[in-house]
Amino acid sequence: MKIGIDARLWSETGVGRYIRALVYHLGQIDDTHEYVLFLKNKDFNEVEMPNKRWTRQEADVSWHSLEEQLRMPGVYKQSGADLIHIPYFSVPVLMPTPFVVTIHDLTISHFATGKATTHPKLMYALKRLAYRFALWKAVRSAKRVITVSESTKKELVSEYRLSPGKVAVTYEAGDFEKGTQAAAINTPAKYILYVGNAHPHKNLDQLLNAFSLLRRKNSEIKLVLVGPDDYFYQQLKNLPENKCEGVEFIHNVNRDELYTWYRKALCLVFPSLSEGFGIPGLEAMSQDVPVVCSNISVFHEIYGEAAVYFDQNDAQNIAETILGLIADEKKRKDLRIKSLKKAAEYSWKKMAQETLEVYENCYRV
């Protein structure tokens, strides 16, 4: 079987991390099938093929675009692949080739707010309708749907009336990519860490409210926000100065720098209103760093007793929970032990093995 993997998001965080791990481990475990990677120009000559059964094909097409809808079906067909894996919900409506799709979360369904866009409200509303249709068409037309947690599977089955047997759960992981090492960077002496984007569902406004309360009791602690230097982070930076006192914005870090930010943190804070999985929490746990996070179902599923939970809608509770953990050395020590064990339960290699099983089951049907 020849399998095509849409890797146009190769260099991105989040989905890009998933794609890179999938490709690396498939290259290690599968000595039977052929693969073709669809790559954008900027990555085409940079991505090393795992072995001689892997090839690359240029697909310099932006995601979420009309061009994607018009051109990508032809690109997929030209590859001669028997099965295409699209690791994101943005699937062309007219797919000529059998495919599987990975749905990482249903944020776009749950957060119908113009805050989550740089476009005028009418344009945002129209694009959101288009996204929802594309998502509906993708999950209904796919041979199989892959998702990354039981929580998201339940949402998919409920919202899109899918058969539970059509949806496979392949957990992600938090281990760092091969070759990652500590970087020489300057960090505050004591800091709380957040890693991720600043989209509205990440709830960073509430985190900043909580941090303002926390600083009244312990002004030595800093809050470090690591993420892309984009419109959403600029919105945070434009907040009144007193709301950002003690906050450091760190952008465009490489993997060695990110690894180092984790290792030196007092804890990772993860205040999201909704997530599909929660890679940063496992990354922190793998580096012996305690996790303080929202009281949402997916975090309980993934982190279990290895995290401390707060009410994500209550700034006072967020502040008190973080301060309580920092002040309780015994609790921190117990949490570190649980965290390392929890992080070890997840493996990118296992994710790739389970994804390969999905491919093979699709081909046999």
Side-chain angles (χ1 to χ4, degrees):
M1 174 170 55
K2 186 175 184 180
I3 301 160
I5 299 177
D6 192 327
R8 287 176 293 147
L9 287 160
W10 181 273
S11 296
E12 302 298 312
T13 58
V15 177
R17 175 79 183 285
Y18 171 85
I19 295 169
R20 295 190 300 271
L22 178 65
V23 169
Y24 174 78
H25 288 288
L26 284 174
Q28 298 289 309
I29 64 176
D30 183 11
D31 57 6
T32 302
H33 305 296
E34 296 179 27
Y35 291 86
V36 55
L37 286 186
F38 303 102
L39 293 159
K40 298 199 77 176
N41 284 352
K42 64 187 179 69
D43 298 315
F44 191 80
N45 293 316
E46 301 298 320
V47 178
E48 184 178 346
M49 296 296 100
N51 55 57
K52 64 183 180 181
R53 287 177 297 100
W54 289 71
T55 58
R56 54 173 71 85
Q57 184 168 329
E58 184 178 312
D60 199 34
V61 178
S62 297
W63 49 92
H64 296 330
S65 67
L66 179 60
E67 183 185 21
E68 178 180 60
Q69 293 293 322
L70 297 175
R71 284 189 55 199
M72 287 309 297
V75 173
Y76 295 143
K77 189 172 183 179
Q78 184 184 8
S79 72
D82 301 296
L83 182 71
I84 302 291
H85 182 184
I86 302 176
Y88 193 50
F89 77 86
S90 190
V91 177
V93 173
L94 300 176
M95 277 293 290
T97 308
F99 70 96
V100 299
V101 60
T102 300
I103 305 299
H104 295 268
D105 58 61
L106 291 180
T107 300
I108 195 165
S109 297
H110 297 165
F111 291 87
T113 167
K115 288 176 65 180
T117 181
T118 58
H119 299 297
K121 287 185 178 181
L122 178 59
M123 184 182 296
Y124 170 73
L126 292 173
K127 288 196 74 170
R128 186 168 180 274
L129 282 173
Y131 289 164
R132 284 180 62 84
F133 174 75
L135 178 55
W136 175 84
K137 185 75 165 94
V139 299
R140 301 292 294 185
S141 302
K143 297 277 284 185
R144 292 290 299 278
V145 177
I146 297 172
T147 193
V148 295
S149 66
E150 291 291 344
S151 297
T152 304
K153 176 177 178 175
K154 289 177 183 176
E155 293 173 352
L156 280 164
V157 168
S158 174
E159 293 184 29
Y160 294 93
R161 299 182 180 181
L162 302 178
S163 164
K166 185 175 183 175
V167 185
V169 175
T170 63
Y171 285 128
E172 296 174 314
D175 42 315
F176 279 82
E177 293 171 79
K178 186 178 179 181
T180 303
Q181 59 186 356
I185 59 174
N186 294 320
T187 65
K190 296 179 181 180
Y191 65 92
I192 300 157
L193 181 67
Y194 166 81
V195 174
N197 64 52
H199 294 178
H201 73 280
K202 295 295 187 177
N203 203 26
L204 296 192
D205 282 352
Q206 193 71 281
L207 176 58
L208 292 178
N209 291 336
F211 186 64
S212 295
L213 297 174
L214 183 154
R215 289 269 296 179
R216 295 175 189 174
K217 296 185 177 180
N218 190 332
S219 61
E220 294 180 357
I221 296 175
K222 305 285 187 182
L223 173 62
V224 174
L225 305 179
V226 176
D229 188 11
D230 61 8
Y231 167 83
F232 299 101
Y233 266 106
Q234 288 301 322
Q235 291 293 97
L236 289 182
K237 291 177 183 179
N238 291 336
L239 291 172
E241 188 174 335
N242 64 331
K243 195 168 182 179
C244 293
E245 187 176 350
V247 179
E248 294 192 16
F249 295 91
I250 307 296
H251 302 301
N252 305 319
V253 299
N254 60 40
R255 68 184 185 187
D256 292 344
E257 292 166 342
L258 179 60
Y259 173 79
T260 308
W261 279 111
Y262 274 119
R263 290 177 65 86
K264 295 185 177 183
L266 290 170
C267 65
L268 177 83
V269 62
F270 209 165
S272 296
L273 300 174
S274 173
E275 287 290 340
F277 185 76
I279 292 174
L282 290 181
E283 287 178 330
M285 289 180 183
S286 75
Q287 299 309 310
D288 203 21
V289 176
V291 173
V292 192
C293 63
S294 303
N295 186 25
I296 56 177
S297 61
V298 68
F299 286 168
H300 282 278
E301 176 187 346
I302 304 304
Y303 305 146
E305 296 181 357
V308 176
Y309 300 92
F310 51 63
D311 181 349
Q312 60 275 13
N313 298 306
D314 185 339
Q316 185 69 46
N317 184 249
I318 296 173
E320 289 174 354
T321 304
I322 295 171
L323 283 170
L325 178 62
I326 291 172
D328 191 337
E329 185 56 39
K330 182 180 183 302
K331 189 173 185 179
R332 284 165 56 78
K333 184 177 180 180
D334 291 344
L335 205 58
R336 285 193 182 106
I337 294 170
K338 292 178 181 178
S339 294
L340 288 170
K341 289 181 179 178
K342 178 58 68 174
E345 293 177 11
Y346 298 91
S347 161
W348 287 114
K349 181 179 180 180
K350 183 180 178 183
M351 178 274 290
Q353 289 171 327
E354 293 171 345
T355 303
L356 178 58
E357 290 173 12
V358 172
Y359 297 160
E360 291 176 336
N361 287 337
C362 286
Y363 195 61
R364 284 195 288 265
V365 173

